[in-house]
Amino acid sequence: MDGRECERMLSVALEEARAGRAEGGVPIGAALFGPGGELWGRGHNRRVQDGDPSLHAETAAFRAAGRRRSYRDTVMVTTLAPCWYCSGLIRQFGIGTVVVGESATFQGGIAWLRRNGIKVVDMKSAECRELLESFIKARPEVWNEDIGVE
Amino acid sequence: MDGRECERMLSVALEEARAGRAEGGVPIGAALFGPGGELWGRGHNRRVQDGDPSLHAETAAFRAAGRRRSYRDTVMVTTLAPCWYCSGLIRQFGIGTVVVGESATFQGGIAWLRRNGIKVVDMKSAECRELLESFIKARPEVWNEDIGVE
């Protein structure tokens, strides 16, 4: 998987993040791609929109992909490094690769994922970072709620 | 939290697991209790019923509890030791205690949770174990799908 392919996948997650921002929600997006690079599911954080704390971007994309017998050679792309909840999802279901837009704002479980054999590609995207950082500045209490920080 | 209180909480998760079995689904139930022992949310695995792979029992109970600012001193009770996905949820949101019906069928992330300061109480419930083991015997392919095993 080359850099251009990672960019293509990240662009879908970024569209989702922007949609979340437009709805007034936490601007984090994600998508799950199958072994051939085909889109299986995409989504964004829905805490604010649906009052649903269980739908982080990654779980929304996973949900949208529906029931699957295997996640071998799939790629989860997300605008932000996955938290423990979403890292646990990736490990449990054997998703092989995670492409993160950035991990500067929040590192989540990416070191743990790498230690457990999952490939993590960090795109160090300025756009992903600016999108989230401007939200955190405007709505710090919602961001803290979203990651379980009191 | 004494044994009687753990039994009371587990009985709610068991009701959920039995409801899941009656619907033809994976018979695992869970509930989230607030700091005073009050019920915040309850639910069961909905993979079969809703075609939704993101709703394990624990995530269903967490979702049902709605948005919360803090999970301090809350208790997640579940009929089965939580998988990595649900263990990650528990760690990320700072849920302090996990009461598991059993961990003989599946151990999930309970050793990792304990290492990270979360209290885990194992009730070693024969009923929880029989409920799940009979399902695994009847529908091994659904069980494997539910934990990401090919």
Side-chain angles (χ1 to χ4, degrees):
Chain A
M1 205 169 62
D2 62 13
R4 178 175 287 186
E5 179 70 347
C6 290
E7 288 287 358
R8 177 184 75 87
M9 292 178 171
L10 183 59
S11 71
V12 177
L14 256 168
E15 284 178 8
E16 288 291 332
R18 290 187 206 109
R21 180 181 57 183
E23 295 163 1
V26 180
I28 303 174
L32 182 63
F33 289 88
E38 72 281 17
L39 181 66
W40 275 11
R42 55 190 287 173
H44 53 267
N45 187 300
R46 303 198 63 81
R47 172 177 297 273
V48 172
Q49 297 91 319
D50 298 351
D52 185 345
S54 76
L55 286 176
H56 275 194
E58 297 91 329
T59 53
F62 179 79
R63 185 186 197 188
R67 289 178 62 178
R68 302 280 177 171
R69 293 297 291 273
S70 168
Y71 294 87
R72 193 193 297 202
D73 299 327
T74 61
V75 178
M76 176 70 84
V77 55
T78 170
T79 55
L80 177 70
C83 75
W84 286 119
Y85 172 41
C86 299
S87 295
L89 175 87
I90 289 158
R91 179 172 177 186
Q92 186 65 47
F93 290 96
I95 293 167
T97 302
V98 184
V99 175
V100 306
E102 61 113 349
S103 64
T105 309
F106 179 81
Q107 298 198 342
I110 60 175
W112 180 76
L113 287 173
R114 283 183 170 130
R115 279 200 304 277
N116 285 286
I118 291 142
K119 184 178 174 185
V120 179
V121 179
D122 188 340
M123 302 296 283
K124 301 183 191 301
S125 158
E127 184 177 357
C128 290
R129 189 171 171 176
E130 286 158 13
L131 200 55
L132 184 58
E133 287 187 346
S134 61
F135 181 83
I136 293 173
K137 197 173 173 186
R139 305 288 307 276
E141 75 290 356
V142 177
W143 167 244
N144 285 333
E145 184 190 306
D146 199 54
I147 54 169
V149 171
E150 291 183 44
Chain B
M1 204 171 62
D2 61 12
R4 179 176 286 185
E5 180 69 347
C6 290
E7 287 288 358
R8 176 184 75 87
M9 292 177 172
L10 183 59
S11 71
V12 177
L14 256 168
E15 283 179 7
E16 288 292 331
R18 289 187 206 109
R21 178 180 60 184
E23 294 162 3
V26 180
I28 303 174
L32 182 63
F33 289 88
E38 70 282 17
L39 182 66
W40 275 12
R42 54 190 287 173
H44 53 268
N45 187 298
R46 306 200 60 83
R47 172 176 296 272
V48 172
Q49 297 91 319
D50 298 351
D52 185 346
S54 76
L55 285 176
H56 274 192
E58 297 90 331
T59 52
F62 179 78
R63 185 186 198 187
R67 288 177 62 176
R68 302 279 178 172
R69 293 297 292 272
S70 167
Y71 294 88
R72 192 192 297 201
D73 299 328
T74 61
V75 179
M76 177 70 84
V77 55
T78 170
T79 55
L80 178 69
C83 76
W84 286 118
Y85 172 41
C86 298
S87 294
L89 175 87
I90 289 159
R91 181 172 176 185
Q92 186 64 47
F93 290 95
I95 292 168
T97 303
V98 184
V99 176
V100 306
E102 60 113 349
S103 64
T105 309
F106 179 81
Q107 297 198 343
I110 60 175
W112 180 75
L113 287 173
R114 284 184 171 128
R115 279 199 305 276
N116 285 286
I118 291 143
K119 183 178 175 186
V120 179
V121 179
D122 188 340
M123 301 296 284
K124 301 184 191 298
S125 158
E127 184 177 356
C128 290
R129 187 171 173 177
E130 286 158 12
L131 201 54
L132 183 57
E133 288 187 346
S134 61
F135 180 83
I136 293 173
K137 196 172 174 185
R139 306 288 307 277
E141 76 290 357
V142 178
W143 167 244
N144 284 333
E145 185 190 306
D146 199 56
I147 53 169
V149 171
E150 292 183 43

